[in-house]
Amino acid sequence: MCDSKIKLKEKDIAKIKEICEFFDNKAGELISVLHRCQSEFGYLPPEIQDVVSDFMNVPVAKIYGVVTFYSFFTMKPKGKYPISICTGTACYVRGAEKVLDEFKKELNLEVGETAADGKFSLSSLRCVGACGLAPVVLVGEKTYGRVAPDDVKEILAAYEN
Amino acid sequence: MSKYKKHIMVCGGTGCRASESDTIVEKMKKELENRNLDKDVQVVITGCFGLCEKGPIVKMLPDNTIYTEVKPVNVTEIIDEHIIKGRKVKSLLPADSYKGKTDSKNMDSFKKQIRIALKNCGFINPEVIDEYIASNGYEALGKALMEYTPEQTIDIIKKSGLRGRGGGGFPTGLKWEFAAKSKGDQKYVVCNADEGDPGAFMDRSILEGDPHSVLEAMAICGYTMGATEGLIYIRAEYPLAIERLQIAIKQAREYGLLGKNILGSGFDFDIILKLGAGAFVCGEETALIHSMEGLRGEPTIKPPFPAESGYNNMPTNVNNVETFANIPTIINKGAEWFASIGTKKSTGTKVFALAGKINNVGLIEVPMGTTLREVIFEIGGGIQDGKKFKAVQTGGPSGGCLTEKHLDTPIDFDNLIEAGSMMGSGGMIVMDEDDCMVSMAKFYLDFTVEESCGKCAPCRIGNKRLYETLDKITQGKGTEADLDLLRNMSHVIKDTSLCGLGQTSPNPVLSTLDNFWDEYIAHVKDHKCEAGQCKSLLQYNIIAEDCVGCTACARVCPVGCIAGEKKEVHIIDQSICIKCGACMDKCKFNAIELI
């Protein structure tokens, strides 16, 4: 356990400590702690889980169990521009799958992967609740509505620089 | 406070915000200031109007004119024409209005609706508590605390006949009574805002458009059962709803409507937010409680019910957002009034999220007992592009596909179950003739397989097998025996699964088998998919008359399955073809067809 800790910088460990203490190191607040950690570091690699385990006195196996159970948590870093395609039912019946295929082809990535240069990552999500705009694609915080496979190149081009 | 003569209401819901409604608001404020009108006209950001397909929506008061698909460039026109000259901007009126109706009170999509849970959505600014109070907000809480005992309050809810809007349809008053009778040092009120059904977004809209109604109802519930703490379990995917709730809780505390000694009654109640992290199974109340405790969201066997032993092993009452949103109006207007709406066993109204191949995607609220036909064709405006209605899935991944023959069934909890579906949270996905029902069932099973928590074997393994069998059928490798297998397996999964997820997950399979048997048979016997969605069952064919023999298709084919000499008709060897479609894309003469 201590080996992996070495990979984290002092100040990162201090930050995790601060987050855990904010929630009084209470085991019941584990999910809140992980939310904060993910928004701070972008993802939850084993190193971070280890440190959280230490401070909160929760076995790391339990933390790993929680991280992998919920789709919101990720153990892989996302790209600079994370692309999420909504594959909720409303988007599905309006052709989200074809849009997803087009993104896979253009980026040469599978769902859940991040490009080698760290620029784009591809994921699918279930319903952002903007079903009037189906199919919906999110790039970072920006929402694209009524996306057709032909629009994919244009969307990606906007992030070329 | 200054008095405004006119108001411009701009939808600030997730859908409209994604189409730049916040830019519209900023521009409006600036343009009004430029024209010295900012003292007379107020721009209000509201919750969802329910016309999500046509967003961003702008509504003008006092004349109720609705403008649809408004863009920032239209702002000056709206102000110069509508506000200054008093003329409507015709190009922005909804299609409905061509029949001479331009205001929300007379539009077809609103006429059949009765709004209780959504009553403030689109009418008040959700970020200003005074606007909620001005529309009778917190009056019900005051009434309950001052005039009624906890027992009397529960009695009103029982008499109203309100049933849980999250899917189960359990009588809310009864649930409150159980929780009130349970003994514990600390009791909890939990609001389930983990709207996991993809395609349903009413809870999000209520929380974004009228968060105080939920807070007020939770406080009333706390009063009836003797709880001093409330928790809202909300999806992390709904950042706007979280923000609005945080603002609302802060304002309610400042006004003494949450916290210690509410309205001087001696009753203490406060609410905190708990973020979910994306798991469909957490809609099940025991799973939700475990998730709030920082654990994996796995369900446990009931009994004990949460009313006896829930959050932190204390008596807990869990209700859904829409259920809570009904409570204040029931207290204010009385149980008899509420019970007079809807049907005998399903009283009141229900919010539905219309989505899919329907013209008016959006949120509607209708009395229970309204028929599917009225909802889809009259309020929903019918099927897109003039296509034929094929099916509607109610109840999300736990529900079933209903068809033409169910169109005149009055919608209520019991009728939908009898028809092989369920109410669920109120998502309605409409499908047209281009949708393959086998693929649709496969889509839902793919969802269930991913979302199954894995605790019990029937759900974890059974659903996976269902998915594989459906996949086999869509690949054209299925047999008639597979259809029997699907049915048998479905029943076993339903009967033996631990929680609601597994007990309902085979519904899409069973209902499509019942209602679209011929389509399954066509897939397994004739290897045909009439909707043209199952790629493996399609054949690329060269139309002899149109082929000029340019060889373009043969050159582009990655597996070399197209043969033919120059200037002669080419032929595709179906046994080698991988159905990539490259030849069809390349052909300049439209000589390749898909059959």
Side-chain angles (χ1 to χ4, degrees):
Chain A
M1 185 171 88
C2 294
D3 298 345
S4 57
K5 239 183 187 174
I6 299 165
K7 287 187 211 158
L8 286 176
K9 293 184 191 121
E10 276 301 310
K11 73 172 199 325
D12 292 341
I13 296 175
K15 182 79 210 169
I16 299 170
K17 186 170 184 232
E18 188 191 316
I19 293 171
C20 294
E21 278 171 0
F22 180 84
F23 292 102
D24 298 331
N25 294 323
K26 269 203 303 213
E29 295 291 348
L30 178 60
I31 291 174
S32 313
V33 167
L34 294 175
H35 267 300
R36 284 278 174 96
C37 288
Q38 183 160 303
S39 75
E40 187 70 32
F41 300 98
Y43 67 118
L44 299 168
E47 292 87 343
I48 290 180
Q49 296 179 32
D50 249 357
V51 178
V52 171
S53 154
D54 241 14
F55 288 130
M56 296 188 71
N57 208 12
V58 175
V60 73
K62 273 223 155 129
I63 296 179
Y64 177 77
V66 168
V67 169
T68 50
F69 184 85
Y70 296 100
S71 61
F72 200 82
F73 296 133
T74 169
M75 286 178 62
K76 280 188 204 156
K78 295 241 157 130
K80 187 179 170 200
Y81 302 111
I83 300 174
S84 313
I85 288 100
C86 179
T87 49
T89 325
C91 288
Y92 171 80
V93 299
R94 287 200 183 175
E97 219 171 25
K98 285 183 192 138
V99 176
L100 179 59
D101 286 344
E102 194 63 27
F103 271 108
K104 282 187 193 165
K105 208 172 91 190
E106 283 296 319
L107 296 169
N108 199 15
L109 290 176
E110 282 301 311
V111 171
E113 286 183 346
T114 303
D117 63 357
K119 191 167 177 188
F120 291 111
S121 56
L122 191 63
S123 63
S124 66
L125 53 81
R126 302 284 190 192
C127 203
V128 285
C131 307
L133 300 173
V136 174
V137 172
L138 294 175
V139 182
E141 306 254 298
K142 176 131 177 77
T143 313
Y144 294 87
R146 300 199 182 97
V147 179
D150 292 345
D151 302 332
V152 169
K153 275 201 184 107
E154 202 178 311
I155 293 175
L156 291 175
Y159 299 90
E160 273 314 311
N161 305 315
Chain B
M1 235 161 91
S2 51
K3 265 198 170 168
Y4 295 97
K5 289 181 193 142
K6 287 178 180 170
H7 299 266
I8 304 177
M9 323 291 277
V10 183
C11 176
T14 291
C16 287
R17 278 251 291 226
S19 332
E20 298 187 292
S21 79
D22 37 358
T23 318
I24 295 175
V25 172
E26 267 167 47
K27 206 169 161 197
M28 279 199 171
K29 285 186 179 163
K30 218 175 105 204
E31 295 291 330
L32 286 170
E33 232 170 83
N34 290 346
R35 289 165 178 72
N36 267 330
L37 286 169
D38 52 319
K39 299 270 182 302
D40 299 316
V41 183
Q42 189 190 20
V43 184
V44 184
I45 306 167
T46 71
C48 183
F49 288 91
L51 303 167
C52 309
E53 176 80 35
K54 304 271 182 324
I57 306 291
V58 172
K59 182 171 163 181
M60 315 296 286
L61 290 180
D63 57 308
N64 289 317
T65 303
I66 294 261
Y67 288 129
T68 56
E69 294 180 74
V70 178
K71 296 190 179 62
V73 292
N74 303 127
V75 167
T76 42
E77 198 182 0
I78 292 179
I79 294 176
D80 290 340
E81 283 293 306
H82 195 111
I83 299 282
I84 298 178
K85 295 182 187 150
R87 290 194 296 234
K88 293 189 180 186
V89 184
K90 284 206 178 109
S91 59
L92 297 173
L93 292 172
D96 244 347
S97 63
Y98 292 130
K99 295 170 203 157
K101 302 159 195 158
T102 54
D103 61 291
S104 61
K105 293 228 155 42
N106 288 310
M107 272 164 60
D108 284 353
S109 34
F110 283 109
K111 254 195 319 199
K112 291 221 162 176
Q113 300 196 40
I114 296 183
R115 294 190 160 213
I116 300 174
L118 295 178
K119 80 179 158 73
N120 286 327
C121 288
F123 288 95
I124 64 168
N125 183 337
E127 296 182 7
V128 181
I129 189 172
D130 299 301
E131 297 207 10
Y132 180 67
I133 293 173
S135 63
N136 302 329
Y138 290 103
E139 200 181 300
L141 177 62
K143 236 185 190 171
L145 292 178
M146 306 300 162
E147 295 174 26
Y148 303 133
T149 63
E151 293 76 30
Q152 283 170 326
T153 314
I154 291 175
D155 214 40
I156 294 174
I157 304 302
K158 270 169 83 177
K159 276 194 186 134
S160 74
L162 177 68
R163 293 169 70 173
R165 300 298 196 239
F170 190 81
T172 307
L174 218 53
K175 208 171 184 181
W176 287 22
E177 195 175 52
F178 289 145
K181 282 184 179 160
S182 282
K183 292 205 166 39
D185 302 335
Q186 174 68 50
K187 294 181 174 183
Y188 297 98
V189 177
V190 173
C191 172
N192 181 352
D194 188 52
E195 194 167 43
D197 169 7
F201 48 97
M202 60 283 292
D203 293 351
R204 176 181 61 70
S205 285
I206 292 171
L207 293 171
E208 284 175 6
D210 194 15
H212 285 287
S213 67
V214 176
L215 304 186
E216 184 181 6
M218 288 177 73
I220 295 171
C221 176
Y223 169 67
T224 64
M225 62 184 274
T228 54
E229 249 184 72
L231 304 109
I232 302 177
Y233 183 84
I234 183 164
R235 295 181 76 188
E237 288 91 336
Y238 285 174
L240 186 60
I242 294 171
E243 191 192 317
R244 297 246 164 99
L245 273 172
Q246 281 165 341
I247 295 171
I249 292 173
K250 188 169 163 271
Q251 290 176 343
R253 280 182 193 150
E254 283 165 7
Y255 276 58
L257 295 162
L258 281 180
K260 296 256 176 255
N261 192 17
I262 294 172
L263 298 169
S265 64
F267 167 62
D268 304 338
F269 191 77
D270 209 348
I271 295 173
I272 56 165
L273 297 186
K274 280 267 184 182
L275 295 198
F280 180 64
V281 69
C282 288
E284 204 282 338
E285 50 185 15
T286 58
L288 182 151
I289 288 167
H290 294 312
S291 180
M292 289 200 311
E293 291 167 343
L295 306 170
R296 286 163 71 99
E298 289 170 346
T300 38
I301 292 173
K302 296 192 269 191
F305 288 91
E308 303 155 57
S309 171
Y311 183 57
N312 292 340
N313 298 324
M314 292 296 163
T316 304
N317 177 63
V318 185
N319 281 132
N320 154 276
V321 172
E322 194 190 331
T323 315
F324 277 129
N326 275 293
I327 301 285
T329 314
I330 294 176
I331 305 275
N332 282 333
K333 294 198 174 178
E336 290 75 22
W337 170 81
F338 190 80
S340 71
I341 301 166
T343 62
K344 207 172 162 212
K345 285 190 172 165
S346 303
T347 56
T349 56
K350 178 77 191 88
V351 182
F352 291 103
L354 300 180
K357 307 273 182 71
I358 190 161
N359 276 320
N360 305 335
V361 169
L363 278 191
I364 62 155
E365 184 170 353
V366 289
M368 294 275 189
T370 308
T371 64
L372 281 169
R373 189 184 299 282
E374 288 171 297
V375 168
I376 295 167
F377 291 93
E378 290 181 36
I379 301 170
I383 311 302
Q384 276 186 336
D385 304 324
K387 297 224 166 149
K388 204 168 160 254
F389 167 80
K390 184 167 184 179
V392 55
Q393 172 91 8
T394 68
S398 310
C401 269
L402 302 176
T403 63
E404 190 106 36
K405 70 175 184 216
H406 301 108
L407 279 179
D408 293 307
T409 311
I411 309 167
D412 69 12
F413 287 104
D414 311 300
N415 282 346
L416 285 182
I417 288 175
E418 204 173 303
S421 182
M422 66 184 270
M423 183 75 83
S425 53
M428 273 199 193
I429 308 282
V430 177
M431 288 161 254
D432 69 12
E433 50 200 322
D434 295 339
D435 290 305
C436 161
M437 288 300 145
V438 185
S439 302
M440 209 58 217
K442 188 176 104 174
F443 167 80
Y444 280 114
L445 260 296
D446 178 39
F447 178 85
T448 322
V449 168
E450 208 172 293
E451 293 297 336
S452 169
C453 78
K455 185 169 178 170
C456 73
C459 177
R460 181 183 69 240
I461 304 169
N463 283 319
K464 181 96 184 150
R465 294 289 99 83
L466 276 183
Y467 174 80
E468 287 165 357
T469 312
L470 287 165
D471 191 48
K472 194 174 140 194
I473 296 172
T474 58
Q475 302 282 341
K477 295 172 189 155
T479 60
E480 274 182 83
D482 285 326
L483 302 187
D484 291 334
L485 182 68
L486 279 179
R487 201 182 284 275
N488 290 340
M489 237 179 343
S490 292
H491 286 299
V492 173
I493 296 169
K494 270 176 87 99
D495 292 344
T496 54
S497 287
L498 174 65
C499 83
L501 194 150
Q503 287 159 12
T504 56
S505 60
N507 280 347
V509 180
L510 287 172
S511 66
T512 46
L513 276 172
D514 283 344
N515 295 317
F516 296 96
W517 177 252
D518 295 345
E519 207 167 317
Y520 276 91
I521 289 288
H523 277 75
V524 295
K525 260 183 143 174
D526 315 328
H527 303 288
K528 280 248 151 36
C529 172
E530 258 188 40
Q533 218 180 341
C534 299
K535 261 195 178 170
S536 319
L537 299 182
L538 295 174
Q539 272 194 4
Y540 285 90
N541 245 13
I542 295 177
I543 307 164
E545 298 94 77
D546 295 336
C547 178
V548 297
C550 72
T551 72
C553 58
R555 275 180 283 135
V556 77
C557 177
V559 290
C561 74
I562 305 180
E565 294 297 316
K566 245 186 185 174
K567 292 189 178 166
E568 275 175 29
V569 174
H570 284 49
I571 292 168
I572 300 174
D573 183 345
Q574 300 295 345
S575 61
I576 308 175
C577 175
I578 56 164
K579 288 152 188 166
C580 67
C583 53
M584 197 166 169
D585 291 341
K586 198 79 192 172
C587 181
K588 285 183 189 150
F589 306 96
N590 292 327
I592 297 179
E593 61 179 354
L594 252 181
I595 50 169

